[in-house]
Amino acid sequence: MTSISQHFQSLRASKQCALIPFVTAGDPDLETTKEALRILDRNGANFLELGVPYSDPLADGPVIQAAATRALQNGTKLEHVLEMLEAVSPELKAPVILFTYYNPILNLGVKSFLARIANAGAKGLVVPDLPLEEAEELINNAAEFGIEVILLVAPTSSKERIEAIAKYSQGFIYLVSVTGVTGMRTQIQDRVKNLLTDMRSVTDKPIGIGFGISGADQAHQVMDWGADAVIVGSAFVKRLATGSREEGLQAIEQFCQELKAAITPAVATV
């Protein structure tokens, strides 16, 4: 499996915008999560973002919070998530990005945590409650284990802060499209387009936009604005949790196909 940076280089060379779906591990159970990763990988996902359920998910909206609560009530723990990932990652083409809060990292110790997730097959790491000022130890140790630490830029970030985050973010930069938590929105704010332009003036690293994208029209809009990746979370989590296991899996398969079609440029025919 290639690194996140290498995969983005290939996508840019072929002028493709990446699709990054998110699912919460253990909702409704880890076997379903494993099958969901396989389905998304087969149906257009370029990267896979896997959320580790956490009891106090400050960055997450109600849909993902509810999914994390259900997973925890089912007994899902970090070690269970990594065992599942270790079993399925050899089957996946898309690099896996782990989304977790910092407390589980502290509990294991930075190097032990990085070694364990690398062994499980993860290639990237997003830690939403870890500010740049406190991320040095994690970033400095990550390369040893082949892990790229992806940092988030908020829509309220100053140009100076964007420059600092862009300098240290690895793999790509995660641009948060809304002020607040994750969740589905009916519109993506126009200021995100301006912020994307501002970021292009200070970095040539890939930029992914997430938080609030809920459908194909928004994904296409973000692609048109020039994003390197579209990140979709709550809309996948909600579909997977609706109806039976089979219905949920079928729903995310169809949704993944719709999003991929929306961000794939039409090929002109002669």
Side-chain angles (χ1 to χ4, degrees):
M1 190 184 294
T2 60
S3 71
I4 293 167
S5 295
Q6 290 168 337
H7 200 30
F8 264 115
Q9 287 177 2
S10 298
L11 290 166
R12 277 183 159 181
S14 56
K15 295 182 169 54
Q16 290 185 58
C17 178
L19 174 61
I20 309 180
F22 170 100
V23 292
T24 300
D27 182 44
D29 54 64
L30 286 170
E31 281 303 311
T32 302
T33 304
K34 186 187 292 186
E35 185 58 25
L37 293 174
R38 292 186 183 114
I39 286 171
L40 296 170
D41 188 55
R42 291 197 303 263
N43 286 276
N46 301 105
F47 302 87
L48 296 163
E49 190 174 12
L50 180 64
V52 177
Y54 184 62
S55 57
D56 189 22
L58 298 176
D60 292 315
V63 171
I64 296 177
Q65 280 195 20
T69 298
R70 290 191 296 268
L72 291 170
Q73 288 173 344
N74 292 339
T76 305
K77 299 183 183 302
L78 172 63
E79 188 56 34
H80 302 149
V81 174
L82 296 179
E83 287 171 0
M84 179 277 297
L85 179 58
E86 189 172 359
V88 75
S89 60
E91 304 174 35
L92 306 174
K93 293 179 295 183
V96 175
I97 300 164
L98 208 65
F99 181 105
T100 185
Y101 290 82
Y102 196 53
N103 195 52
I105 300 175
L106 278 179
N107 286 341
L108 271 181
V110 169
K111 284 199 170 187
S112 295
F113 178 86
L114 289 167
R116 183 65 189 91
I117 69 170
N119 187 62
K123 292 294 183 182
L125 181 63
V126 177
V127 186
D129 62 341
L130 183 66
L132 174 63
E133 291 77 11
E134 298 174 22
E136 183 178 359
E137 182 183 5
L138 186 65
I139 292 171
N140 288 346
N141 284 288
E144 178 184 344
F145 301 95
I147 299 293
E148 292 178 288
V149 179
I150 298 144
L151 301 180
L152 292 88
V153 167
T156 53
S157 298
S158 67
K159 187 171 183 180
E160 291 74 22
R161 185 159 187 80
I162 290 171
E163 288 179 351
I165 292 171
K167 178 180 178 181
Y168 290 102
S169 189
Q170 302 167 329
F172 69 99
I173 304 160
Y174 194 134
L175 172 56
V176 176
S177 70
V178 295
T179 303
V181 298
T182 62
M184 296 175 287
R185 268 73 170 184
T186 56
Q187 287 184 310
I188 302 295
Q189 298 175 2
D190 285 344
R191 66 176 174 172
V192 175
K193 179 181 180 181
N194 298 329
L195 189 54
L196 185 60
T197 301
D198 290 343
M199 291 175 68
R200 293 289 185 212
S201 70
V202 299
T203 183
D204 60 357
K205 290 181 180 177
I207 299 169
I209 297 181
F211 283 50
I213 298 171
S214 61
D217 289 346
Q218 293 167 329
H220 184 81
Q221 182 181 51
V222 166
M223 179 199 70
D224 275 350
W225 286 346
D228 295 284
V230 175
I231 307 162
V232 183
S234 294
F236 274 106
V237 172
K238 183 176 181 180
R239 282 167 171 79
L240 187 56
T242 301
S244 67
R245 176 182 188 270
E246 291 71 23
E247 288 169 337
L249 291 169
Q250 185 176 6
I252 65 165
E253 179 176 14
Q254 181 179 346
F255 187 49
C256 192
Q257 291 170 354
E258 291 171 1
L259 291 172
K260 187 64 176 180
I263 63 171
T264 302
V267 179
T269 56
V270 180

